[in-house]
């Protein structure tokens, strides 16, 4: 049995199954190095697997029974950061709730005050410094004294979050980006104080704003200390604001839910908070109100607007027996609904959990950036010391050597590196949620880039998954509407899917159906009933021929054969001892499927129809949508085998399905996409969930995933390239420390802004 030691360190004495999960809110992190440190400390505990995301400031921890949440909190605290248990650990809690945070846990409003206050003081210091560089301009010596007194509050108060974080890290034997910032700002300020008081008696500095060298007298860098602080505070402020914007999509998704509900207690209606609603409770939804939770309509009829959840603009008609989803809007009639799922089990909560899980995970490219950031800071400090030593060794002035070393410290801060992946992932998954595309994890993004073959399940994916009346074929001299009217009326009393399709088709085309008496059913063969004294027979042609001696006339024999060749089921209608017509019923192709196949081909993907249905039906469906390759008559295990066969042939396979029989194949595929209208088993086994049943969204999902991955790679290229290019310039004395600070802050803002461009992603699907 795994146990926690007496010190509460969270170290367990034996292995255990990681059967518990917790999400902690981490405070005090200022860069990817901080996140890497917390993650490393947590993962050192036996029975713990943790992933810390700097962008969301969350730690996702899987742990064994022997580890307590208190031990995890204590471990984070000993690492030098704060950790809190979420107020609501349910999946429908807002992972972005709470204050906007900046460096070292400061909230956004405090950060704004520091930024504005420091900027007012720093502008004056920089202006005086620039005035001193104008040839022939006599600047009073008192300006340097004024610069000292204006800079001191900026360094002490404005940069305090950086100093505090650096001191906390130093106490725990660590160095982070804040260490570089604090060292750079303090060194610039303290050196300037020394040079002013002890050096050349306060003579005015004269140097080029773009470079570190060419100084005439004593070198003071008050404008560097003040300017760098302001630039970095500005970078952190806009970074914090951008991170909040990046999570806006998920917050909007969570806000779709209702806050209270009008529940029925006996004959009385009372309004209660949504969290007090129980499964089985009946509640009232009036026109214009949100449906409080998932349930089944008990009474009433209405049109429900599901666009907020699915992106589909056309309202869905609901009647008694129809399933409704929490968060959708009741557009017209009054409904009485029986709750079937509440709280964390609702479809809306499951969607939010999928999005939050994806945003808290890490792609391989992010893990690489974290590892680089963790070792980068000590290397930079060593490089800064080396720069100072080399400049002094070649006989350069102390001020020049010092300025180059400070520029190295400032410009090397790996802010952009730590933000490159998580911000793009936040925005990409949030935008996907808005469009009904739920990305389960960041590793999914890397899979979409390599996919070249898409296997499409037929029933429920390419087709509607429900039998539909396709055609009415009357015998000679009969009226189609009369044939359908009588057949639909008799079938309306049956519960068979084919009967339901005929009855629904009749009501849709003709409206009210006539009354039927004497209804009887022959299981699997057909039904009979009387309308206006006439016996109506509806069923298989062989049943009518053998049981009732009513064979098909020759013209209808060929018509029936043609319908069956297209994969349709033929039903015979007879009365008065004669066949009056045929009805053809089929699982019809979705209107959007053909366009979806064309879109997949435009992305360089090869679509393949994979189904357990017979070859004739499969070929007919494939021809309708433009698919050339068909694999038919395969069992669920056969689908898995087909995925493996293609993978062994060197293909990277995506599988799209919706049923329980697709779950294993979805899990085996390199990329699994489940239709949100399908079963929970299929959704759980997939990597991407498409909330709507529209196959065109598959193309949008792959496009969004690929674009998110491209954004991540672009961010990383900029972050790595920026540091690689800037460090030699700083070490060579070609960058003034103030310019270095501005460039570093710009780099972080650039990465976040580039990620926010994903919010403008536009789907190919017209209704999205």
């Amino acid at each position: 049995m795994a146990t926690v030691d007496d010190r509460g360190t969270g170290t367990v004495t034996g292995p255990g199954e990681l059967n518990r999960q917790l999400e902690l809110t981490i405070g005090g992190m200022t860069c990817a190095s901080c996140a890497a440190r917390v993650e490393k400390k947590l993962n050192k505990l036996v029975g713990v697997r943790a992933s810390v995301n700097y962008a969301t400031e969350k730690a996702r921890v899987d742990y064994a029974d022997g580890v307590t949440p208190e031990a995890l909190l204590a471990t984070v605290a000993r690492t030098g950061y704060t950790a809190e248990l979420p107020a609501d650990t349910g999946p429908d809690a807002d992972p972005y709730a709470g204050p906007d945070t900046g460096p070292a846990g400061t909230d956004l409003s405090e950060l704004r005050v520091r930024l504005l206050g420091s900027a007012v003081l720093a502008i004056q210091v920089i202006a005086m410094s620039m005035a001193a560089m104008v040839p022939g301009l006599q600047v009073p010596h008192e300006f340097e004294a004024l610069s000292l007194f204006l800079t001191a509050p900026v360094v002490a108060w404005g940069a305090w979050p950086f100093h505090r974080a650096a001191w906390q890290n130093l106490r725990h034997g660590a160095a982070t980006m804040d260490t570089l910032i604090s060292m750079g700002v303090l060194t610039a300020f303290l050196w300037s104080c020394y040079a002013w008081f002890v050096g050349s008696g306060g003579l005015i500095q004269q140097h080029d704003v773009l470079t570190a060298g060419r100084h005439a007298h004593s070198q003071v860098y008050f404008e560097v200390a003040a300017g760098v602080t302001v630039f970095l505070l500005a970078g952190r402020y806009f970074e914090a604001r951008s991170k909040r914007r990046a999570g806006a999509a998920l917050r909007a998704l969570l806000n779709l839910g209702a806050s209270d509900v009008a529940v029925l207690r006996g004959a009385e209606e009372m309004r209660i908070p949504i969290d007090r609603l129980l499964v089985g409770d009946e509640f009232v939804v009036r026109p214009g109100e949100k449906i409080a939770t998932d349930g089944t309509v008990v009474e009433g009829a209405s049109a429900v607007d599901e666009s907020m959840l699915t992106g589909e603009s056309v309202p869905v008609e609901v009647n008694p027996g129809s399933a409704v989803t929490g968060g959708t809007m009741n557009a017209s009639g009054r409904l009485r609904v029986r709750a079937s799922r509440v709280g964390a089990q609702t479809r809306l909560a499951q969607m939010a959990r999928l999005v939050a899980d994806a945003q808290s995970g890490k792609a391989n490219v992010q893990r690489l950036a974290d590892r680089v950031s963790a070792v980068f800071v000590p290397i930079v400090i060593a490089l800064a010391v080396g720069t100072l030593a080399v400049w002094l060794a070649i006989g350069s002035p102390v001020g020049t050597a010092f300025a180059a070393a400070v520029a190295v410290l400032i410009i090397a801060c790996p802010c952009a590196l730590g933000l490159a992946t998580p911000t793009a992932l936040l925005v990409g998954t949030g935008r996907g949620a808005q469009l009904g595309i739920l990305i389960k994890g960041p590793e999914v993004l890397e899979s979409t880039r390599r996919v070249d073959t898409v296997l499409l399940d037929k029933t429920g994916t390419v087709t509607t998954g429900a039998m539909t009346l396709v055609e009415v074929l009357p015998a000679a001299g009969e009226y189609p509407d009369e044939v359908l009217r009588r057949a639909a009326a008799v079938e309306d009393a049956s519960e068979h899917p084919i009967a339901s399709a005929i009855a629904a088709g009749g009501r849709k085309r003709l409206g009210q159906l006539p009354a039927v008496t004497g209804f009887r059913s022959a299981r699997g063969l057909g039904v009979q009933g009387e309308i206006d004294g006439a016996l109506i027979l509806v069923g298989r042609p062989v049943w009518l021929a053998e049981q009732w001696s009513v064979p098909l006339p020759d013209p209808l024999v060929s018509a029936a054969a043609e319908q069956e060749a297209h994969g349709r089921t033929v039903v015979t209608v007879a009365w008065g001892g004669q066949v009056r017509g045929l009805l053809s019923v089929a699982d019809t192709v979705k209107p959007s499927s053909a366009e979806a196949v064309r879109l997949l081909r435009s992305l360089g993907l090869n679509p393949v129809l994979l189904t357990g249905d017979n070859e004739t039906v499969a070929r007919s469906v494939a021809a309708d949508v433009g698919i050339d390759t068909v694999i038919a008559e395969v069992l669920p295990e056969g689908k898995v085998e087909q995925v493996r066969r293609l993978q062994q042939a060197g293909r990277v396979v995506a599988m799209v399905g919706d049923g329980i029989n697709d779950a294993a194949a979805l899990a085996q595929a390199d990329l699994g996409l489940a239709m949100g209208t399908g079963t929970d088993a299929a959704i759980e086994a997939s990597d991407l969930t498409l909330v709507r049943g529209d196959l065109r969204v598959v193309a949008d999902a792959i496009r969004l995933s690929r674009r998110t991955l491209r954004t991540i790679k672009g961010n990383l290229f900029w972050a790595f390239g920026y540091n690689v290019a800037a460090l030699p310039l700083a070490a060579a004395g070609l960058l003034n420390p103030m310019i270095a600070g501005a460039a570093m802050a710009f780099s972080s803002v650039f990465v976040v802004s580039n990620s926010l461009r994903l919010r403008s992603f536009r789907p190919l699907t017209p209704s999205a």
Side-chain angles (χ1 to χ4, degrees), residues 679-695:
T679 63
D680 290 342
I683 292 170
E684 286 298 320
S686 67
D687 302 306
L688 281 163
T689 300
L690 313 175
V691 175
R692 287 180 288 142
D694 191 334
L695 191 59

Side-chain angles (χ1 to χ4, degrees), residues 255-313:
N255 289 336
L256 290 180
S259 58
D260 56 14
V261 56
V263 69
L264 294 172
R265 301 291 193 214
E268 185 180 351
E269 180 182 321
M270 57 187 298
R271 192 160 286 275
I272 62 172
I274 187 65
D275 56 6
R276 289 173 54 192
L277 188 67
L278 304 175
V279 173
D281 282 349
E282 292 188 4
F283 58 93
V284 174
V285 188
R286 292 179 173 80
E289 289 184 341
K290 289 180 181 177
I291 295 174
T293 193
D294 298 357
T296 304
V297 177
V298 177
E299 180 183 285
S302 180
V304 175
D305 180 2
E306 297 185 345
S307 60
M308 293 182 295
L309 198 62
T310 66
E312 185 59 60
S313 57

Side-chain angles (χ1 to χ4, degrees), residues 177 180-181 184-185 210 224 228 232 376 380 383-384 387 403-417 718-748:
M177 186 190 66
L180 301 182
I181 296 171
V185 171
L210 295 177
V224 169
V228 164
L232 295 180
F376 196 60
V380 168
L383 181 60
T387 300
V406 171
V408 168
L409 285 176
I410 297 298
I411 204 161
C413 297
C415 253
L417 197 60
W718 168 264
F720 278 114
Y722 160 79
N723 280 306
V724 168
L727 275 174
L729 294 175
L734 298 176
L735 282 178
N736 177 276
M738 187 169 64
I739 301 301
M744 195 279 283
F746 168 76
S747 180
S748 298

Side-chain angles (χ1 to χ4, degrees), residues 81-424:
Y81 303 91
T82 63
E84 295 179 4
L85 295 171
D88 181 359
T89 56
D92 47 348
D94 184 353
Y96 294 94
D100 303 317
T101 56
T106 56
D107 63 45
L108 198 60
S109 59
E110 179 189 338
L111 192 56
R112 187 188 303 112
V113 171
R114 287 185 190 273
L115 171 60
L116 294 175
S118 299
V120 169
L121 298 174
I123 287 171
Q124 300 176 67
V125 176
I126 294 170
M128 287 187 288
S129 173
M130 295 177 67
M133 288 182 280
V134 177
L137 179 64
Q138 295 298 315
V139 179
H141 289 197
E142 290 77 11
F143 271 27
E144 281 197 350
L146 183 57
S147 294
L148 167 60
F149 290 114
L150 289 174
T151 303
V154 177
V155 172
W157 171 73
W160 173 244
F162 305 113
H163 303 323
R164 180 177 55 193
W167 172 245
Q168 288 175 345
N169 291 322
L170 182 62
R171 286 173 52 209
H172 295 88
T176 67
M177 186 190 66
D178 290 292
T179 307
L180 301 182
I181 296 171
S182 182
M183 284 179 62
V185 171
L186 286 176
T187 305
F189 180 71
L190 294 175
W191 167 262
S192 300
C193 290
Y194 169 80
W196 192 76
F197 283 110
V198 181
S200 303
L203 293 178
I204 300 300
Q205 58 175 333
Q206 294 182 7
H207 62 86
D208 192 324
V209 72
L210 295 177
T211 65
R214 299 194 293 278
H215 305 291
H217 301 284
S218 66
Q219 290 81 42
V220 292
Y221 294 97
F222 292 125
E223 86 285 357
V224 169
V228 164
T229 299
V230 170
F231 285 133
L232 295 180
L233 283 173
R236 289 291 179 86
Y237 174 74
F238 290 113
E239 173 190 318
R241 279 188 58 189
S242 298
K243 282 162 63 177
R244 291 288 296 178
R245 288 178 64 197
L250 181 54
R251 286 195 299 277
L253 179 65
L254 294 162
N255 289 336
L256 290 180
S259 58
D260 56 14
V261 56
V263 69
L264 294 172
R265 301 291 193 214
E268 185 180 351
E269 180 182 321
M270 57 187 298
R271 192 160 286 275
I272 62 172
I274 187 65
D275 56 6
R276 289 173 54 192
L277 188 67
L278 304 175
V279 173
D281 282 349
E282 292 188 4
F283 58 93
V284 174
V285 188
R286 292 179 173 80
E289 289 184 341
K290 289 180 181 177
I291 295 174
T293 193
D294 298 357
T296 304
V297 177
V298 177
E299 180 183 285
S302 180
V304 175
D305 180 2
E306 297 185 345
S307 60
M308 293 182 295
L309 198 62
T310 66
E312 185 59 60
S313 57
V314 180
V316 177
E317 296 293 333
V318 296
N319 299 286
S322 299
V324 290
T325 305
T328 55
M329 186 70 70
N330 180 23
S332 53
R334 180 181 184 274
L335 297 176
R336 194 169 93 234
V337 180
R338 181 179 294 113
S340 59
R341 289 187 287 195
V342 297
Q345 303 305 314
T346 63
R347 191 177 179 196
L348 183 62
Q350 290 170 352
M351 285 177 62
R353 182 167 64 243
L354 282 172
V355 177
D357 286 351
Q359 293 183 343
S360 63
K362 289 188 177 182
N364 290 334
V365 286
Q366 182 180 348
R367 296 188 185 279
L368 172 63
D370 288 349
R371 289 195 296 270
V372 171
S373 295
V375 300
F376 196 60
V377 174
I379 292 174
V380 168
I381 293 174
L383 181 60
V385 173
T387 300
L388 178 65
V390 169
W391 276 97
L392 291 175
I394 63 176
S396 297
V398 175
T400 301
F402 163 79
V406 171
V408 168
L409 285 176
I410 297 298
I411 204 161
C413 297
C415 253
L417 197 60
L419 292 168
T421 297
T423 51

Side-chain angles (χ1 to χ4, degrees), residues 62-76:
D62 295 294
Y63 60 100
D65 288 331
V67 182
T68 64
E70 290 74 20
L72 299 173
L73 296 177
T75 300
V76 176

